[in-house]
Amino acid sequence: MGFSSLKQLMSLCIISMALFSDLKLAKSASPDYTNLIYKGCARQRFSDPSGLYSQALSAMYGSLVTQSTKSRFYKTTTGTTSQSSITGLFQCRGDLSNNDCYNCVSRLPVLSGKLCGKTIASRVQLSGCYLLYEISGFAQISGMEMLFKTCGKNNVAGTGFEQRRDTAFGVLQNGVVSGHGFYATTYESIYVLGQCEGDVGDSDCNVCIKNALQKAQAECGSSISAQIYLHKCFIAYSYYPNGLPRGGGGSSPNYGSSGSSSSSSSSSSSGTTGKTVAIIVGGTAGVGFLVICLLFVKNLMKKKYDDY
């Protein structure tokens, strides 16, 4: 093999390494609104010898994903009979664009299938959206039931933080009601966000948000951040003593930060873990490919000199 062939091989190695690098960057740049917050799966799986439930579930998924291109909340019921009907809904965070809402919701059917399988009810919550479905006759739960919480590990007790946080909570509660279900704002370096399910009226929304805020105070104390998810609403806050990142109010901070968590269903950090694994695998594969290239070049050079 001549010098030109060796040169071509080295170019191939460099291009391949660049591709691995691009893959690594693409994995790490995944939008934070698609991070998995928690999942809730019913223990009972549905019996489906005729395939009616599967058809209804597939139709429901399709309808929800289609509607996510133009709405941040949609609820529907599918099925050929009342016994095999499935009611499902999705909701996107109020500050997501239509395109981001679609990108978020379109991931949920696959995630629900992977995380819960064909259970009679499922709820999957990402940072920016969630999907819920249940078959006809599934036992209803209170809208005030807490599904998941997470409290930041760091505390700021004794600094006046709790007073500022409680004032921010009051602003949030009023804002969610006047905003008819969604509100986000900043008060003295505390970013607060709240949202009610799209079909909840203002009065019930007010009660739900108040309940969630009280749980945040009781469960998380002086933690600098928290997320509280009730069945019909959720709230989140983060304190930034050095000022909000990215200029603050225009975009919500990433609530996927580390902290203690508790849930009535399984919780997961698989979104972050998945990206980490992908980066490690991509990097390892890239290094391995480079080593193979170098060994191949070495063998070719050795053969060339042996021929002489």
Side-chain angles (χ1 to χ4, degrees), residues 39-150:
K39 66 178 177 71
C41 311
R43 294 181 180 180
Q44 183 181 349
R45 301 172 67 88
F46 53 73
S47 176
D48 193 26
S50 63
L52 291 177
Y53 281 121
S54 295
Q55 292 174 19
L57 193 60
S58 179
M60 182 209 67
Y61 283 152
S63 179
L64 295 182
V65 171
T66 298
Q67 291 295 322
S68 69
T69 62
K70 52 189 175 183
S71 176
R72 293 185 183 88
F73 174 80
Y74 184 72
K75 187 174 184 178
T76 186
T77 298
T78 57
T80 56
T81 67
S82 58
Q83 289 76 25
S84 64
S85 66
I86 298 180
T87 298
L89 65 85
F90 79 83
Q91 180 159 24
C92 287
R93 210 171 57 207
D95 56 351
L96 261 60
S97 66
N98 286 342
N99 186 58
D100 286 344
C101 182
Y102 168 77
N103 288 335
C104 191
V105 173
S106 61
R107 298 168 186 250
L108 289 170
V110 174
L111 273 176
S112 179
K114 286 183 177 180
L115 296 173
C116 294
K118 293 184 177 181
T119 56
I120 62 175
S122 167
R123 182 179 183 126
V124 178
Q125 174 78 55
L126 305 184
S127 297
C129 65
Y130 70 90
L131 178 147
L132 164 69
Y133 79 79
E134 53 193 35
I135 69 169
S136 176
F138 184 75
Q140 299 299 299
I141 64 173
S142 166
M144 304 299 153
E145 182 170 336
M146 186 164 68
L147 303 177
F148 178 85
K149 75 165 184 180
T150 179

